[in-house]
């Protein structure tokens, strides 16, 4: 079964989960006395963030797929949805067993899904990260004070580090979208950086770790793009699981991520490992959304 799935992933590269009618997973339990509300599927569908090119995300996480198959004794199906909204929708319809959300997309998904966070990305010993606001060198913008009248690129509307955080940083400077600057949503972090580098947008907001990775991979040229500001630390991207999974399976899943030390696997996440996390730690994101007067239902 695992070998067959790998062949499918190799030829298809990206699994897009967007159909509401997608079939629910089969349970291994057949004993009629087993609680029917507890799920123990043969295959775990594991969703990864659509914050970069989907085929690249799948390719970069083949190591994670193999690791989880060995650790959990389950078939693993890696999934990349078309965008954050379809990922949230898939979670709400129980079409995902595990999902790697951004902080804001997790908060949005939690409002309509029976899911729980269990681990967050860890870098340099911390389960927090920052956003950066960048500018095109060609634009002549040297500070946020010069952002008025410019075009500002954000990623996905449900992204924390390429929308929620940078927009709050703009607001702190008294800059409001539509009134003081034009906002455009380009879908992903790498698209934000490229738009700014090409001066299609003079300013953009994205995750600092992703921005640094784009520079390291020479996708972005520091002679064309510069950092204007960086944010305060926010809770890192959480791994979540369906709350109705079998308790023993949930324990296995948590342990698999907390114990993960393979540098090649972690490289795809730009992380040193994963640390335990709780829902309460994302209240800071919920509060920030209120500060920005964001309608979570519309973002959903």
């Amino acid at each position: 079964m695992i070998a067959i799935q790998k062949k499918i992933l190799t030829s298809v590269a990206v699994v897009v989960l967007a159909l509401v009618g997608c079939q629910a997973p089969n349970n291994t339990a057949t004993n009629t006395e087993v609680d029917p509300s507890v799920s123990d599927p043969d295959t775990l569908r594991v969703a990864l963030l659509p914050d970069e090119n989907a085929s690249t995300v799948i390719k970069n996480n083949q190591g994670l797929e193999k690791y989880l198959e060995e650790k959990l004794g389950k078939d693993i199906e890696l999934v990349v949805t078309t965008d954050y909204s379809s990922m949230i929708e898939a979670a709400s319809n129980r079409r995902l067993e595990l999902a790697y959300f951004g902080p804001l997309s997790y908060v949005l998904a939690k409002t309509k899904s029976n899911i729980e966070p269990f681990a967050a990305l860890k870098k340099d010993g911390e389960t927090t990260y920052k956003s950066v606001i960048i500018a095109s060198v060609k634009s002549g913008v040297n500070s946020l004070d010069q952002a008025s009248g410019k075009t500002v690129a954000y990623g996905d509307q449900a992204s924390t580090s390429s929308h929620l955080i940078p927009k709050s940083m703009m607001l702190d400077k008294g800059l409001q979208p539509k009134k003081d600057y034009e906002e455009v949503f380009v879908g992903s972090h790498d698209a934000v950086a490229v738009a700014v580098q090409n001066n299609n947008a003079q300013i953009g907001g994205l995750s600092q770790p992703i921005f640094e990775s784009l520079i390291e991979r020479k996708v972005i040229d520091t002679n064309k793009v510069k950092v204007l500001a960086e944010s305060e630390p926010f809770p890192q991207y959480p791994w979540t699981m369906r709350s109705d999974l079998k308790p023993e399976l949930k324990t296995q899943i948590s342990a698999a991520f907390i114990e993960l030390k393979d540098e090649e696997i972690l490289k795809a996440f730009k992380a040193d490992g994963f640390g335990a996390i709780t829902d309460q730690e994302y209240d800071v994101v919920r509060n920030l959304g209120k500060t920005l007067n964001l309608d979570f239902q519309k973002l959903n």
Side-chain angles (χ1 to χ4, degrees):
M1 175 67 74
I2 295 174
I4 292 174
Q5 281 190 305
K6 288 186 181 296
K7 290 181 180 179
I8 293 174
L9 281 172
T10 301
S11 59
V12 177
V14 179
V15 178
V16 176
L17 197 63
L19 299 177
V20 174
C22 187
Q23 190 174 6
N26 293 324
N27 275 356
T28 57
T30 57
N31 190 328
T32 56
E33 296 181 1
V34 173
D35 185 348
S37 66
V38 175
S39 180
D40 187 19
D42 295 321
T43 298
L44 300 181
R45 295 164 294 185
V46 180
L48 299 160
L49 272 177
D51 57 2
E52 293 187 80
N53 180 273
S55 60
T56 300
V57 173
I58 290 287
K59 179 181 178 182
N60 290 345
N61 284 279
Q62 293 300 296
L64 176 67
E65 177 191 16
K66 181 178 180 181
Y67 171 80
L68 291 178
E69 286 176 341
E70 293 175 349
K71 277 290 201 177
L72 305 177
K74 302 280 188 180
D75 289 338
I76 300 296
E77 179 183 336
L78 296 183
V79 174
V80 177
T81 57
T82 53
D83 54 25
Y84 284 59
S85 295
S86 56
M87 184 173 172
I88 292 169
E89 190 65 23
S92 70
N93 285 289
R94 300 174 72 247
R95 301 201 306 271
L96 302 171
E97 281 66 57
L98 301 178
Y100 183 55
F101 284 106
L104 176 57
S105 55
Y106 160 68
V107 168
L108 295 174
K110 182 67 174 176
T111 65
K112 57 194 299 186
S113 308
N114 188 24
I115 60 174
E116 56 193 67
F118 62 89
L121 185 154
K122 183 185 289 185
K123 182 70 174 177
D124 298 326
E126 301 290 337
T127 53
T128 58
Y129 77 119
K130 297 179 180 181
S131 286
V132 290
I133 293 181
I134 60 175
S136 165
V137 170
K138 188 176 181 180
S139 71
V141 175
N142 296 308
S143 70
L144 293 183
D145 296 325
Q146 298 176 320
S148 184
K150 300 298 189 293
T151 297
V152 179
Y154 297 124
D156 191 291
Q157 290 193 59
S159 171
T160 314
S161 52
S162 67
H163 179 210
L164 187 64
I165 297 175
K167 179 173 282 186
S168 71
M169 295 167 69
M170 299 287 285
L171 187 61
D172 286 343
K173 290 292 185 179
L175 298 163
Q176 299 183 20
K178 298 181 181 179
K179 178 182 177 181
D180 299 303
Y181 66 88
E182 178 186 359
E183 66 176 355
V184 294
F185 292 93
V186 296
S188 63
H189 296 253
D190 52 344
V192 169
V194 171
V196 172
Q197 178 166 268
N198 294 336
N199 203 35
N200 293 326
Q202 291 75 54
I203 298 169
L206 71 160
S207 159
Q208 185 180 55
I210 292 179
F211 179 64
E212 292 174 349
S213 173
L214 292 171
I215 292 174
E216 182 180 344
R217 289 153 44 199
K218 301 188 184 303
V219 175
I220 296 301
D221 185 346
T222 53
N223 291 318
K224 298 179 179 180
V225 176
K226 58 186 172 184
V227 175
L228 296 182
E230 64 179 47
S231 74
E232 296 179 356
F234 280 80
Q236 270 285 10
Y237 291 37
W239 273 104
T240 69
M241 68 175 86
R242 275 173 44 189
S243 297
D244 65 347
L245 292 177
K246 183 179 177 181
E248 292 84 353
L249 176 59
K250 292 166 71 173
T251 298
Q252 283 183 295
I253 292 171
S254 295
F257 280 87
I258 300 301
E259 295 169 3
L260 177 56
K261 305 299 180 185
D262 190 308
E263 293 183 0
E264 280 302 308
I265 296 175
L266 292 169
K267 184 178 180 181
F269 297 91
K270 307 166 187 68
D272 301 327
F274 295 101
I277 201 83
T278 65
D279 174 75
Q280 186 176 1
E281 293 175 67
Y282 293 90
D283 284 346
V284 63
V285 178
R286 296 180 175 101
N287 294 335
L288 188 55
K290 293 176 183 177
T291 300
L292 292 173
N293 295 317
L294 294 181
D295 187 335
F296 282 179
Q297 294 303 315
K298 286 186 178 180
L299 287 178
N300 251 323

